[in-house]
């Protein structure tokens, strides 16, 4: 996040001696950034050296199994049909992918406690559709519940606790960093008055865990599409303090303040996050357009240069027929799409919508995985016929 945060104890001057209590030596400083030495970074202070690899075990290929590389069909995927799985990583079902991102769903039944996880390839966005718990990281803990986006910059070691076994997540692994939209920030990074959210809505880590433990600690690290298993000699959560700008955070879709107008506003007013290769938008309950002749349903539009993915969270989605929670629509670039037959007429005179949805617009075409085809209803592309 482009604002400063600190937890625990840190020395008054960076890169200087920071002694442990009772003369037991020095803490170990680690600079943690993701774009060389130029991006946002944090300085962490470990009880043990964060470099003590004891053993390197097996590597497992995690690359999505692609079934369709050149997609030209609008599609609807029945997302809740994915099978739950006990393990947090094994529960992930990649559905759509390109060189920039992997988009998928997961229904993990169990907390991630038997190993630690780090994605060195990608920033992760987890949207919590069902379930609650705590994201535990070496930067501290972030409680989460329904409606939260969890943003985990690449390289952050974490575990996750779920309160129950009934959990539904949308996840995006992004090969470029995930930021809030630049146009809502001033030159100092502060969120501006026209931003649909402000710093108070950003939930930062708290309750730093400091484990002074040595032994065998398994960290599964995703790198180059493979999951590598490394055994470290010290507990990964052994930080006594940190400060800086690079850390995980959460933002609730319920805190997104919609921007409305007299006539239909374009999708960028819903934008919540940006990257170099895709944007994320939040559709939330809002008043409809108030011009006396307004048509609240969106107009047909040609997204020639981007693929559009919408994940339906809750409420009655006014522009479509036959849409339920967990459904995903994919509108590929190159062909126009628009409201379902009857939706335009149906929307006239309506005052508000209660819909919740998450949209991911990618600047390069998406490919479909084998698992995605199993969720495909096979007929959506004809849904604009009378
Ligand atoms: Fe659209």
């Amino acid at each position: 996040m482009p604002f400063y945060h600190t937890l625990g104890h840190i020395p008054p001057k960076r890169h200087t001696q920071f002694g442990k209590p009772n003369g037991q030596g020095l803490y170990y400083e680690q600079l943690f950034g993701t774009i060389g030495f130029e991006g946002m970074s944090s300085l962490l202070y470990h009880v043990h050296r964060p470099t003590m690899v004891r053993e390197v075990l097996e590597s497992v290929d995690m690359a999505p199994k692609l079934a369709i590389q050149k997609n030209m069909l609008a599609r609807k995927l029945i997302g809740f049909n994915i099978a739950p799985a006990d393990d947090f990583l094994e529960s992930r079902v990649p559905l759509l992918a390109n060189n920039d991102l992997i988009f998928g769903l997961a229904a993990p039944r169990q907390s991630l406690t038997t190993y630690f996880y780090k994605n060195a390839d990608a920033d992760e966005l987890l949207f919590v559709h069902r379930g609650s718990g705590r994201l535990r990281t070496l930067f501290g803990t972030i409680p989460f519940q329904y409606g939260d986006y969890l943003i985990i910059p690449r390289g952050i070691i974490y575990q996750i606790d779920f309160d129950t076994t009934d959990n539904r997540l949308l996840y995006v692994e992004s090969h470029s960093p995930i930021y809030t939209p630049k146009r809502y920030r001033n030159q100092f990074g502060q969120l501006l008055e026209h931003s649909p959210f402000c710093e108070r809505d950003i939930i930062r880590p708290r309750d730093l865990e400091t484990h002074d433990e040595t032994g065998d600690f398994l960290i599964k690290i995703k790198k180059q599409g493979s999951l590598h298993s490394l055994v470290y000699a010290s507990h990964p959560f052994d930080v006594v303090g940190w400060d800086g700008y690079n850390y995980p955070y959460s933002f609730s879709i319920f805190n997104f303040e919609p921007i409305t107008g007299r006539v239909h506003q374009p999708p960028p007013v819903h934008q919540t996050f940006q990257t170099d290769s895709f944007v994320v938008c939040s559709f939330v309950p809002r008043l409809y357009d108030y011009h006396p002749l307004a048509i609240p349903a969106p107009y047909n539009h040609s997204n020639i240069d981007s693929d559009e993915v919408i994940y339906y969270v809750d409420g009655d989605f006014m522009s479509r027929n036959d849409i339920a929670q967990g459904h995903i629509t994919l509108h590929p670039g190159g062909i126009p799409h628009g409201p379902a037959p009857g939706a335009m007429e149906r929307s006239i005179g309506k005052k508000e919508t209660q819909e919740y949805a998450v949209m991911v617009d990618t600047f390069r075409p998406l490919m479909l995985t084998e698992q995605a085809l199993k969720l495909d209803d096979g007929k959506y592309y004809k849904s604009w016929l009378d």
Side-chain angles (χ1 to χ4, degrees):
M1 273 311 292
F3 54 88
Y4 180 84
H5 188 44
T6 184
L7 276 182
H9 303 290
I10 58 175
K13 186 86 175 167
R14 62 182 174 176
H15 316 321
T16 59
Q17 297 173 30
F18 182 24
K20 296 177 181 175
N22 307 320
Q24 294 179 330
L26 300 177
Y27 289 112
Y28 298 91
E29 187 182 53
Q30 179 192 7
L31 177 68
F32 187 91
T34 64
I35 307 177
F37 288 87
E38 296 186 353
M40 288 186 285
S41 64
S42 292
L43 278 172
L44 302 99
Y45 295 87
H46 294 269
V47 175
H48 300 280
R49 284 184 298 276
T51 49
M52 297 195 294
V53 176
R54 176 166 274 165
E55 208 171 348
V56 179
L57 305 176
E58 80 283 355
S59 297
V60 180
D61 181 29
M62 297 275 283
K65 305 280 185 291
L66 299 173
I68 296 181
Q69 304 212 14
K70 295 180 179 178
N71 175 56
M72 202 52 184
L73 284 187
R75 296 173 186 272
K76 183 169 80 174
L77 312 179
I78 314 302
F80 276 5
N81 282 356
I82 66 156
D86 288 342
D87 179 76
F88 177 67
L89 292 183
E90 288 175 8
S91 75
R92 292 186 175 197
V93 180
L95 300 174
L96 306 166
N98 61 23
N99 286 335
D100 304 319
L101 77 154
I102 299 170
F103 174 105
L105 299 178
R109 272 193 296 244
Q110 293 184 358
S111 299
L112 169 52
T113 56
T114 56
Y115 59 90
F116 298 85
Y117 172 56
K118 163 161 71 170
N119 191 334
D121 276 341
D123 284 28
E124 293 193 349
L125 177 155
L126 307 179
F127 176 77
V128 182
H129 194 173
R130 196 179 283 170
S132 61
R134 286 150 305 283
L135 176 72
R136 296 172 49 237
T137 81
L138 78 166
F139 286 82
T141 298
I142 302 173
F144 63 84
Q145 58 189 343
Y146 167 49
D148 283 347
Y149 293 100
L150 294 164
I151 304 294
I152 309 166
R154 67 205 56 204
I156 287 179
I157 301 169
Y158 71 87
Q159 294 186 321
I160 195 162
D161 293 345
F162 295 108
D163 293 328
T164 73
T165 56
D166 184 17
N167 305 292
R168 292 274 172 184
L169 305 174
L170 177 164
Y171 72 91
V172 181
E173 299 181 37
S174 170
H175 289 126
S176 61
I178 299 173
Y179 300 132
T180 56
K182 190 169 189 321
R183 69 178 183 283
Y184 291 136
R185 284 184 261 117
N186 67 17
Q187 61 178 314
F188 304 103
Q190 184 176 11
L191 290 163
L192 293 164
E193 282 295 307
H194 69 296
S195 171
F197 48 86
C198 81
E199 282 82 356
R200 295 181 199 181
D201 301 319
I202 306 293
I203 306 302
R204 289 165 276 183
R206 62 178 80 149
D207 303 328
L208 187 63
E209 291 184 36
T210 307
H211 297 267
D212 179 2
E213 295 174 35
T214 53
D216 289 337
F217 299 90
L218 176 61
I219 306 183
K220 295 190 178 184
I221 302 171
K222 190 170 184 192
K223 179 88 187 285
Q224 293 180 289
S226 289
L227 194 65
H228 307 279
S229 291
L230 275 65
V231 179
Y232 275 76
S234 60
H235 196 296
F237 299 168
D238 73 337
V239 172
V240 294
W242 65 270
D243 75 336
Y245 287 67
N246 188 36
Y247 51 85
Y249 64 92
S250 76
F251 170 72
S252 171
I253 198 170
F254 301 118
N255 281 326
F256 188 92
E257 296 300 329
I259 296 169
T260 59
R262 222 163 83 93
V263 295
H264 192 80
Q265 297 295 296
V269 300
H270 306 286
Q271 190 183 348
T272 313
F273 301 107
Q274 74 173 34
T275 73
D276 289 346
S277 52
F278 67 91
V279 299
V280 178
C281 297
S282 303
F283 291 91
V284 301
R286 61 194 181 278
L287 296 179
Y288 276 143
D289 324 321
Y290 48 90
H291 186 288
L293 297 177
I295 299 175
Y299 31 76
N300 297 292
H301 50 283
S302 291
N303 47 327
I304 290 290
D305 286 337
S306 64
D307 278 19
E308 176 193 286
V309 184
I310 300 181
Y311 178 79
Y312 299 89
V313 178
D314 202 2
D316 186 20
F317 210 77
M318 57 91 167
S319 64
R320 303 242 56 90
N321 306 327
D322 194 23
I323 284 288
Q325 285 190 1
H327 286 186
I328 296 168
T329 55
L330 167 62
H331 300 130
I335 53 175
H337 64 278
M344 177 184 73
E345 297 81 357
R346 204 167 58 224
S347 75
I348 292 173
K350 294 274 171 52
K351 297 298 180 204
E352 61 181 351
T353 173
Q354 295 299 319
E355 70 193 14
Y356 284 98
V358 174
M359 182 168 79
V360 176
D361 270 12
T362 67
F363 306 155
R364 292 200 276 187
L366 287 164
M367 299 174 277
L368 283 93
T369 65
E370 294 170 0
Q371 296 101 316
L373 290 192
K374 291 179 185 157
L375 307 178
D376 190 351
D377 84 339
K379 59 186 182 185
Y380 177 73
Y381 69 98
K382 291 186 175 179
S383 66
W384 288 274
L385 296 172
D386 284 320

